[in-house]
Amino acid sequence: MQPIIKLTDVHKDYENDGVVTSVLHGIHLEIPDGQFISIMGPSGSGKSTLMNILGFLDVLSTGIYEFGGKDVSRLSDDELAVMRGEKIGFIFQTFNLLPKTSVLENVKLPLLYSNVPLSQRDALAMEAIEDVGLTHRVSNLSNQLSGGERQRVAIARALIRNPNIILADEPTGNLDSKSGKQVMDILYHLNEVHKHTVILVTHETYTAEYAERIVKLHDGIIESDTKVTERRKPEDGFEIK
């Protein structure tokens, strides 16, 4: 099967006042379409840089990045923006919601500069909100929600354009254990049932084990790439509530 993502000998350097800092050192990585993968590593390991490259928020210095079989290594800023909007759904630790705006309006935000007709946007948003079990909150302002509910709104927002990839950056970092488990159960469900490719960046082993595979970075290289033998999953009878 053609991987949705393939990185070949990817390096990333940053230059500041003539000083070059190398962050990634020859990354080779393939992610099959529909896989749930966790990326782990300590601070400074390069996982945030790798996430930014995978999500078209940054560009590599040398190497090749293939997305869906197409070399996207040297896209322009405008081309990156298009790929980012159409192909990637982002979920961040800090939610990044508009505080005095309804759940419905927050979820519709990614459609603002899309070609989706205005007449279809509410229906698409409602479908995504239903996927995360928040139809009863659709008219609430985001600052009236719990942390777990805010993250579920963020997941719905990530889903609205039906992206190829859901990229979740420490999605449980600001949540209590119960809310964090609920968010991970939803991501598992989206991967297992709806077949979304999920890339999870996390420092927590518990959340990483929801994935099929764990890639560990250290000092800008892949230290290990292992299959999860006992994958965590929602309890029997799981429902999104």
Side-chain angles (χ1 to χ4, degrees):
M1 181 185 294
Q2 176 76 42
I4 186 72
I5 283 175
K6 182 178 180 180
L7 302 184
T8 305
D9 197 25
V10 166
H11 293 251
K12 180 61 182 179
D13 303 324
Y14 292 100
E15 183 173 349
N16 186 21
D17 293 332
V19 178
V20 176
T21 302
S22 297
V23 180
L24 298 179
H25 312 285
I27 298 293
H28 294 266
L29 180 66
E30 291 190 12
I31 303 175
D33 192 18
Q35 189 171 73
F36 191 145
I37 179 174
S38 290
I39 297 174
M40 302 186 72
S43 297
S45 63
K47 63 182 186 294
S48 294
T49 300
L50 178 58
M51 181 203 73
N52 288 341
I53 290 172
L54 293 176
F56 304 107
L57 294 166
D58 202 353
V59 294
L60 49 79
S61 297
T62 61
I64 299 172
Y65 178 7
E66 294 173 79
F67 190 99
K70 177 185 176 182
D71 186 354
V72 295
S73 307
R74 301 291 183 272
L75 294 180
S76 67
D77 288 346
D78 288 345
E79 290 169 328
L80 283 173
V82 171
M83 290 289 287
R84 191 162 58 241
E86 293 181 351
K87 306 298 184 182
I88 310 292
F90 291 96
I91 305 166
F92 298 101
Q93 179 178 348
T94 52
F95 319 136
N96 291 353
L97 302 179
L98 299 179
K100 295 183 179 180
T101 306
S102 73
V103 167
L104 181 66
E105 294 302 320
N106 266 289
V107 172
K108 287 197 299 183
L109 278 175
L111 302 180
L112 193 60
Y113 299 108
S114 75
N115 295 323
V116 176
L118 291 174
S119 60
Q120 297 178 17
R121 295 184 183 187
D122 280 4
L124 287 172
M126 288 302 300
E127 183 178 346
I129 291 166
E130 184 176 357
D131 283 342
V132 300
L134 283 178
T135 52
H136 62 296
R137 294 291 201 188
V138 67
S139 297
N140 284 88
L141 305 182
S142 66
N143 60 1
Q144 296 173 327
L145 306 179
S146 68
E149 288 172 332
R150 291 181 197 181
Q151 193 58 290
R152 286 156 67 187
V153 174
I155 295 172
R157 182 184 59 193
L159 291 173
I160 194 168
R161 296 192 70 178
N162 193 30
N164 297 77
I165 307 285
I166 296 174
L167 209 165
D169 183 16
E170 301 281 5
T172 63
N174 282 336
L175 305 178
D176 58 50
S177 58
K178 181 180 178 181
S179 297
K181 182 181 184 305
Q182 192 171 44
V183 164
M184 292 310 304
D185 286 352
I186 291 171
L187 290 177
Y188 180 98
H189 180 82
L190 292 172
N191 170 249
E192 197 68 12
V193 177
H194 296 280
K195 307 304 180 184
H196 286 283
T197 303
V198 178
I199 302 173
L200 171 71
V201 178
T202 182
H203 67 279
E204 300 170 330
T205 301
Y206 180 89
T207 57
E209 289 174 348
Y210 274 82
E212 301 167 71
R213 173 182 168 203
I214 297 176
V215 172
K216 292 185 178 179
L217 295 182
H218 186 75
D219 291 340
I221 62 172
I222 292 179
E223 184 178 56
S224 64
D225 185 343
T226 57
K227 183 178 180 180
V228 178
T229 54
E230 294 186 21
R231 186 181 179 193
R232 294 189 186 276
K233 59 183 180 179
E235 297 172 5
D236 291 341
F238 164 73
E239 291 184 39
I240 299 172
K241 299 178 180 178

